Amino acid sequence: MKKFFKNIYWFTFLFISCTGIYAAKSTYTDVLIIGGGASGTSAAVKSSRLGVKTILIEESSWLGGMLTSAGVSAIDGNNKLPSGFWGEFKDSLINYYGGESKLATGWVSNVQFEPSAGNRIFQNIARKEKNLSVYFNSSLLNVSQKNNQWIARIKTPNGEKTIKSKVLIDATELGDVAKMTGVKYDIGMESRFVTGEPAAPEKANDIIQDLTYVAILKDYHKDVTIPRPKDYDSTLYICSAKNPLCTNPEYPQYVWTPDKMITYGRLPNNKYMINWPAEGNDYYVNIIEMTPAQRTEALKKAKSITTGFLYFIQKELGMNTLGMADDEYPTDDKMPYIPYHRESRRIHGLVRFTENHLLNPYDQSEKLYRTAIAVGDYPVDHHHRRYTGNENIPQLYFHPVPSYGLPLGTLIPQNVEGLIVAEKSISVSNIVNGTTRLQPVILQIGDAAGTLAALAVKQNKRIQDVSVRDVQNSLLEKGGYLLPYLDVPKSHPAFLSLQRVGSTGILKGVGKNAGWSNETWFRADDILRMNDLEGLKDLYPDVNIIRNDSSEMYMKDLLVIVNKIMHKRKSAKVEIESVVKDFFEQKGFQFDQNKKISRIEAALVIDKILDPFNAKTVNMKGEFFENK
């Protein structure tokens, strides 16, 4: 009997220990994140690493969202810009597969992986964070705010639970939390008369991008042709690749051979990602404002489109050894947990990032590049092939833009305090969403959201009152990019100086469209010219820079200018020449007062002596004002 009670004691102890995460009816956390997708996972890891208690709510048993749960495991863009958590994830993939070359398996991307491997990596990273708790198979029922505290009711496998937090992050796929909290938002395309964008339509509409149920196929080396689907219609897929049925393609330039089509998304270990927009498995349906039950019903057709495309691949294209991978998703139909949503609600934020900010960042009244917290280099890519009447909407298939820095104010909604919005629901125009929706940018958005949330908690400030520079400095410390300079990677000793000086606008980069990988260059090795320094006047109005003077400058010329700025601003006396010389030696540069100075050397001098990045505060619109 004594042994019996002893066993009962230990059983009870183990049960309480294992289920302790659900035991209490009410729990407090500093940061609560709804959605364990790409940005939600990134935000959770970052906020917990910064020392604040964080809870992440995820509806499935996976982490990673579009990268894993939706199967979009071929990375679009940012291959040369491994910023922040995106860089960490890429490094983890390289380690997992045993080398960077092992990721370049298909022709659409240099980084491709199995979704299940991505999920394992995200879960391993999250598991190591002592300040982070993840609630899987759980969902938000409702949320309210009282006394500057969020109160969220959560449905978990062990019953309902209340979680209270100071900061709430919406990292859902469609911006559902933003709607619950009363944030104003847009769906579809804005009018060009609202955004001022040249590529926007004249009239606003509610048309969103096609979504996709991705298929992860596996080569079984035997015939695995599925039965003909009941609602199969071969005409939907006729020109997805060259074949005898495709006699009059609408876009002949995009009709490749079956082998070219299938190897587009070749993954490691004999698998293939099917996310094919050209008469493939894209599907148009706008489920954003539907109820969960309505969404489930509407998405059945999207799944059937993918099943039909698989049958077309097997039957009409002759690839009958390819079938749904049986070792990726533990779902009945072997399909991903969720579809790939390219578009969602887009909040009204403290700023709205538009095509004009991408095309001409320095010429806008809002200098949003000064507030950047993430970088992207993919063109604007909108999917509308499955929408009936797409000839009446802007053609934004690889619409050219330069690479860019995404501003912090896009994550902060108007008129709702204590909320940060991530994923694809940030405050960008419909056009810009076509590039900010890509996976590396979304991971960085999570980075910034987690950083902003943690700083708000630690500094006991409202989210909108957290210093832009505090967020940017934290991101830089962890290997993040603010601006997408290709000529000075983060491994370069001058990386931080160029990121900081570039983010003030004192020295400006040059962006251009370059096909699938758009570019921005600092022109680091170019000789500095007098009018390169015109941006100094924004911070130091009394500096004498001649706008039309393009004469080349020597090191001694710049030191004279810097000396005058320090003298007029009554800065502490510093032996500038000695300080710069020591700093140059530390960074591996040669100091010579009598030689022409390059732009990268000028950035080092300005950053070290004037520290303009931190000398003045910048608000969410990029305006300077004096530090208090």
Side-chain angles (χ1 to χ4, degrees), residues 524-544:
D525 296 327
D526 287 3
I527 298 300
L528 180 73
R529 297 177 182 273
M530 171 64 78
N531 53 10
D532 283 338
L533 294 171
E534 189 177 343
L536 276 172
K537 297 182 75 67
D538 289 341
L539 286 102
Y540 314 109
D542 48 4
V543 69
N544 184 26

PDB file of all heavy atoms in Angstrom, residues 524-544:
ATOM      1  N   ALA A 524      31.495  52.508 -52.233  1.00  0.00           N
ATOM      2  CA  ALA A 524      32.449  52.628 -51.133  1.00  0.00           C
ATOM      3  C   ALA A 524      33.837  53.076 -51.571  1.00  0.00           C
ATOM      4  O   ALA A 524      34.491  53.867 -50.882  1.00  0.00           O
ATOM      5  CB  ALA A 524      32.551  51.291 -50.399  1.00  0.00           C
ATOM      6  N   ASP A 525      34.299  52.598 -52.713  1.00  0.00           N
ATOM      7  CA  ASP A 525      35.674  52.880 -53.131  1.00  0.00           C
ATOM      8  C   ASP A 525      35.799  54.113 -54.024  1.00  0.00           C
ATOM      9  O   ASP A 525      36.920  54.486 -54.402  1.00  0.00           O
ATOM     10  CB  ASP A 525      36.253  51.662 -53.864  1.00  0.00           C
ATOM     11  CG  ASP A 525      36.367  50.457 -52.947  1.00  0.00           C
ATOM     12  OD1 ASP A 525      36.623  50.657 -51.744  1.00  0.00           O
ATOM     13  OD2 ASP A 525      36.187  49.322 -53.423  1.00  0.00           O
ATOM     14  N   ASP A 526      34.674  54.756 -54.362  1.00  0.00           N
ATOM     15  CA  ASP A 526      34.744  55.983 -55.143  1.00  0.00           C
ATOM     16  C   ASP A 526      35.394  57.103 -54.324  1.00  0.00           C
ATOM     17  O   ASP A 526      35.236  57.156 -53.092  1.00  0.00           O
ATOM     18  CB  ASP A 526      33.345  56.453 -55.562  1.00  0.00           C
ATOM     19  CG  ASP A 526      32.749  55.576 -56.645  1.00  0.00           C
ATOM     20  OD1 ASP A 526      33.387  54.576 -57.025  1.00  0.00           O
ATOM     21  OD2 ASP A 526      31.625  55.879 -57.091  1.00  0.00           O
ATOM     22  N   ILE A 527      36.102  57.985 -54.997  1.00  0.00           N
ATOM     23  CA  ILE A 527      36.679  59.132 -54.313  1.00  0.00           C
ATOM     24  C   ILE A 527      35.554  60.075 -53.860  1.00  0.00           C
ATOM     25  O   ILE A 527      34.623  60.355 -54.602  1.00  0.00           O
ATOM     26  CB  ILE A 527      37.659  59.897 -55.239  1.00  0.00           C
ATOM     27  CG1 ILE A 527      38.829  58.975 -55.627  1.00  0.00           C
ATOM     28  CG2 ILE A 527      38.177  61.165 -54.559  1.00  0.00           C
ATOM     29  CD1 ILE A 527      39.644  58.475 -54.448  1.00  0.00           C
ATOM     30  N   LEU A 528      35.646  60.543 -52.635  1.00  0.00           N
ATOM     31  CA  LEU A 528      34.657  61.468 -52.096  1.00  0.00           C
ATOM     32  C   LEU A 528      34.728  62.806 -52.830  1.00  0.00           C
ATOM     33  O   LEU A 528      35.808  63.341 -53.082  1.00  0.00           O
ATOM     34  CB  LEU A 528      34.919  61.689 -50.607  1.00  0.00           C
ATOM     35  CG  LEU A 528      33.967  62.651 -49.882  1.00  0.00           C
ATOM     36  CD1 LEU A 528      32.602  61.999 -49.694  1.00  0.00           C
ATOM     37  CD2 LEU A 528      34.558  63.080 -48.536  1.00  0.00           C
ATOM     38  N   ARG A 529      33.552  63.329 -53.170  1.00  0.00           N
ATOM     39  CA  ARG A 529      33.465  64.648 -53.786  1.00  0.00           C
ATOM     40  C   ARG A 529      32.720  65.590 -52.851  1.00  0.00           C
ATOM     41  O   ARG A 529      31.925  65.158 -52.022  1.00  0.00           O
ATOM     42  CB  ARG A 529      32.774  64.569 -55.145  1.00  0.00           C
ATOM     43  CG  ARG A 529      33.563  63.718 -56.148  1.00  0.00           C
ATOM     44  CD  ARG A 529      32.842  63.574 -57.479  1.00  0.00           C
ATOM     45  NE  ARG A 529      33.606  62.723 -58.390  1.00  0.00           N
ATOM     46  CZ  ARG A 529      34.571  63.141 -59.197  1.00  0.00           C
ATOM     47  NH1 ARG A 529      34.903  64.436 -59.200  1.00  0.00           N
ATOM     48  NH2 ARG A 529      35.224  62.309 -59.974  1.00  0.00           N
ATOM     49  N   MET A 530      32.975  66.876 -53.005  1.00  0.00           N
ATOM     50  CA  MET A 530      32.394  67.860 -52.107  1.00  0.00           C
ATOM     51  C   MET A 530      30.876  67.717 -52.015  1.00  0.00           C
ATOM     52  O   MET A 530      30.295  67.687 -50.937  1.00  0.00           O
ATOM     53  CB  MET A 530      32.764  69.268 -52.562  1.00  0.00           C
ATOM     54  CG  MET A 530      32.044  70.386 -51.826  1.00  0.00           C
ATOM     55  SD  MET A 530      32.426  70.498 -50.043  1.00  0.00           S
ATOM     56  CE  MET A 530      34.038  71.313 -50.115  1.00  0.00           C
ATOM     57  N   ASN A 531      30.199  67.581 -53.170  1.00  0.00           N
ATOM     58  CA  ASN A 531      28.734  67.529 -53.116  1.00  0.00           C
ATOM     59  C   ASN A 531      28.176  66.194 -52.631  1.00  0.00           C
ATOM     60  O   ASN A 531      26.984  66.056 -52.423  1.00  0.00           O
ATOM     61  CB  ASN A 531      28.117  67.904 -54.470  1.00  0.00           C
ATOM     62  CG  ASN A 531      28.666  67.096 -55.618  1.00  0.00           C
ATOM     63  OD1 ASN A 531      29.384  66.124 -55.413  1.00  0.00           O
ATOM     64  ND2 ASN A 531      28.347  67.504 -56.842  1.00  0.00           N
ATOM     65  N   ASP A 532      29.051  65.201 -52.435  1.00  0.00           N
ATOM     66  CA  ASP A 532      28.615  63.963 -51.775  1.00  0.00           C
ATOM     67  C   ASP A 532      28.175  64.236 -50.339  1.00  0.00           C
ATOM     68  O   ASP A 532      27.380  63.486 -49.769  1.00  0.00           O
ATOM     69  CB  ASP A 532      29.745  62.928 -51.739  1.00  0.00           C
ATOM     70  CG  ASP A 532      29.969  62.237 -53.081  1.00  0.00           C
ATOM     71  OD1 ASP A 532      29.029  62.235 -53.905  1.00  0.00           O
ATOM     72  OD2 ASP A 532      31.059  61.686 -53.286  1.00  0.00           O
ATOM     73  N   LEU A 533      28.720  65.314 -49.760  1.00  0.00           N
ATOM     74  CA  LEU A 533      28.486  65.612 -48.348  1.00  0.00           C
ATOM     75  C   LEU A 533      27.310  66.558 -48.128  1.00  0.00           C
ATOM     76  O   LEU A 533      27.142  67.083 -47.024  1.00  0.00           O
ATOM     77  CB  LEU A 533      29.746  66.223 -47.739  1.00  0.00           C
ATOM     78  CG  LEU A 533      30.970  65.302 -47.668  1.00  0.00           C
ATOM     79  CD1 LEU A 533      32.200  66.099 -47.247  1.00  0.00           C
ATOM     80  CD2 LEU A 533      30.729  64.150 -46.709  1.00  0.00           C
ATOM     81  N   GLU A 534      26.515  66.746 -49.152  1.00  0.00           N
ATOM     82  CA  GLU A 534      25.396  67.679 -49.025  1.00  0.00           C
ATOM     83  C   GLU A 534      24.462  67.294 -47.880  1.00  0.00           C
ATOM     84  O   GLU A 534      23.856  68.151 -47.231  1.00  0.00           O
ATOM     85  CB  GLU A 534      24.612  67.719 -50.333  1.00  0.00           C
ATOM     86  CG  GLU A 534      23.554  68.806 -50.384  1.00  0.00           C
ATOM     87  CD  GLU A 534      22.847  68.850 -51.723  1.00  0.00           C
ATOM     88  OE1 GLU A 534      23.377  68.286 -52.695  1.00  0.00           O
ATOM     89  OE2 GLU A 534      21.757  69.440 -51.778  1.00  0.00           O
ATOM     90  N   GLY A 535      24.359  65.991 -47.585  1.00  0.00           N
ATOM     91  CA  GLY A 535      23.499  65.529 -46.506  1.00  0.00           C
ATOM     92  C   GLY A 535      23.927  66.000 -45.129  1.00  0.00           C
ATOM     93  O   GLY A 535      23.138  65.932 -44.168  1.00  0.00           O
ATOM     94  N   LEU A 536      25.161  66.487 -45.002  1.00  0.00           N
ATOM     95  CA  LEU A 536      25.610  67.029 -43.712  1.00  0.00           C
ATOM     96  C   LEU A 536      24.735  68.202 -43.261  1.00  0.00           C
ATOM     97  O   LEU A 536      24.525  68.407 -42.060  1.00  0.00           O
ATOM     98  CB  LEU A 536      27.071  67.487 -43.800  1.00  0.00           C
ATOM     99  CG  LEU A 536      28.169  66.437 -43.601  1.00  0.00           C
ATOM    100  CD1 LEU A 536      29.522  67.050 -43.930  1.00  0.00           C
ATOM    101  CD2 LEU A 536      28.159  65.873 -42.178  1.00  0.00           C
ATOM    102  N   LYS A 537      24.221  68.934 -44.230  1.00  0.00           N
ATOM    103  CA  LYS A 537      23.464  70.141 -43.893  1.00  0.00           C
ATOM    104  C   LYS A 537      22.144  69.820 -43.196  1.00  0.00           C
ATOM    105  O   LYS A 537      21.594  70.655 -42.477  1.00  0.00           O
ATOM    106  CB  LYS A 537      23.211  70.975 -45.154  1.00  0.00           C
ATOM    107  CG  LYS A 537      24.483  71.500 -45.808  1.00  0.00           C
ATOM    108  CD  LYS A 537      24.184  72.353 -47.018  1.00  0.00           C
ATOM    109  CE  LYS A 537      23.678  73.719 -46.622  1.00  0.00           C
ATOM    110  NZ  LYS A 537      24.685  74.537 -45.949  1.00  0.00           N
ATOM    111  N   ASP A 538      21.623  68.602 -43.388  1.00  0.00           N
ATOM    112  CA  ASP A 538      20.387  68.221 -42.704  1.00  0.00           C
ATOM    113  C   ASP A 538      20.598  68.098 -41.198  1.00  0.00           C
ATOM    114  O   ASP A 538      19.671  68.330 -40.413  1.00  0.00           O
ATOM    115  CB  ASP A 538      19.856  66.895 -43.252  1.00  0.00           C
ATOM    116  CG  ASP A 538      19.296  67.024 -44.659  1.00  0.00           C
ATOM    117  OD1 ASP A 538      18.995  68.160 -45.072  1.00  0.00           O
ATOM    118  OD2 ASP A 538      19.164  65.997 -45.343  1.00  0.00           O
ATOM    119  N   LEU A 539      21.797  67.725 -40.817  1.00  0.00           N
ATOM    120  CA  LEU A 539      22.108  67.609 -39.384  1.00  0.00           C
ATOM    121  C   LEU A 539      22.836  68.830 -38.848  1.00  0.00           C
ATOM    122  O   LEU A 539      22.650  69.207 -37.691  1.00  0.00           O
ATOM    123  CB  LEU A 539      22.967  66.358 -39.132  1.00  0.00           C
ATOM    124  CG  LEU A 539      22.236  65.029 -39.213  1.00  0.00           C
ATOM    125  CD1 LEU A 539      22.529  64.359 -40.537  1.00  0.00           C
ATOM    126  CD2 LEU A 539      22.620  64.102 -38.058  1.00  0.00           C
ATOM    127  N   TYR A 540      23.655  69.427 -39.694  1.00  0.00           N
ATOM    128  CA  TYR A 540      24.476  70.569 -39.269  1.00  0.00           C
ATOM    129  C   TYR A 540      24.241  71.706 -40.266  1.00  0.00           C
ATOM    130  O   TYR A 540      25.030  71.912 -41.199  1.00  0.00           O
ATOM    131  CB  TYR A 540      25.947  70.172 -39.226  1.00  0.00           C
ATOM    132  CG  TYR A 540      26.183  68.837 -38.540  1.00  0.00           C
ATOM    133  CD1 TYR A 540      26.570  67.714 -39.273  1.00  0.00           C
ATOM    134  CD2 TYR A 540      25.995  68.695 -37.162  1.00  0.00           C
ATOM    135  CE1 TYR A 540      26.780  66.489 -38.657  1.00  0.00           C
ATOM    136  CE2 TYR A 540      26.201  67.469 -36.530  1.00  0.00           C
ATOM    137  CZ  TYR A 540      26.588  66.377 -37.291  1.00  0.00           C
ATOM    138  OH  TYR A 540      26.781  65.168 -36.662  1.00  0.00           O
ATOM    139  N   PRO A 541      23.157  72.463 -40.110  1.00  0.00           N
ATOM    140  CA  PRO A 541      22.756  73.472 -41.105  1.00  0.00           C
ATOM    141  C   PRO A 541      23.811  74.531 -41.389  1.00  0.00           C
ATOM    142  O   PRO A 541      23.819  75.124 -42.473  1.00  0.00           O
ATOM    143  CB  PRO A 541      21.509  74.105 -40.486  1.00  0.00           C
ATOM    144  CG  PRO A 541      20.990  73.070 -39.533  1.00  0.00           C
ATOM    145  CD  PRO A 541      22.197  72.379 -38.999  1.00  0.00           C
ATOM    146  N   ASP A 542      24.700  74.774 -40.429  1.00  0.00           N
ATOM    147  CA  ASP A 542      25.666  75.840 -40.631  1.00  0.00           C
ATOM    148  C   ASP A 542      26.953  75.369 -41.317  1.00  0.00           C
ATOM    149  O   ASP A 542      27.877  76.153 -41.511  1.00  0.00           O
ATOM    150  CB  ASP A 542      26.008  76.509 -39.290  1.00  0.00           C
ATOM    151  CG  ASP A 542      26.332  75.489 -38.202  1.00  0.00           C
ATOM    152  OD1 ASP A 542      26.358  74.282 -38.515  1.00  0.00           O
ATOM    153  OD2 ASP A 542      26.550  75.905 -37.045  1.00  0.00           O
ATOM    154  N   VAL A 543      27.026  74.105 -41.693  1.00  0.00           N
ATOM    155  CA  VAL A 543      28.224  73.618 -42.372  1.00  0.00           C
ATOM    156  C   VAL A 543      28.248  74.181 -43.791  1.00  0.00           C
ATOM    157  O   VAL A 543      27.218  74.333 -44.438  1.00  0.00           O
ATOM    158  CB  VAL A 543      28.266  72.079 -42.383  1.00  0.00           C
ATOM    159  CG1 VAL A 543      27.178  71.510 -43.289  1.00  0.00           C
ATOM    160  CG2 VAL A 543      29.628  71.572 -42.838  1.00  0.00           C
ATOM    161  N   ASN A 544      29.412  74.485 -44.297  1.00  0.00           N
ATOM    162  CA  ASN A 544      29.560  75.116 -45.616  1.00  0.00           C
ATOM    163  C   ASN A 544      29.881  74.051 -46.666  1.00  0.00           C
ATOM    164  O   ASN A 544      31.038  73.728 -46.913  1.00  0.00           O
ATOM    165  CB  ASN A 544      30.653  76.183 -45.577  1.00  0.00           C
ATOM    166  CG  ASN A 544      30.764  76.924 -46.908  1.00  0.00           C
ATOM    167  OD1 ASN A 544      29.803  77.010 -47.653  1.00  0.00           O
ATOM    168  ND2 ASN A 544      31.951  77.455 -47.193  1.00  0.00           N
TER     169      ASN A 544
END
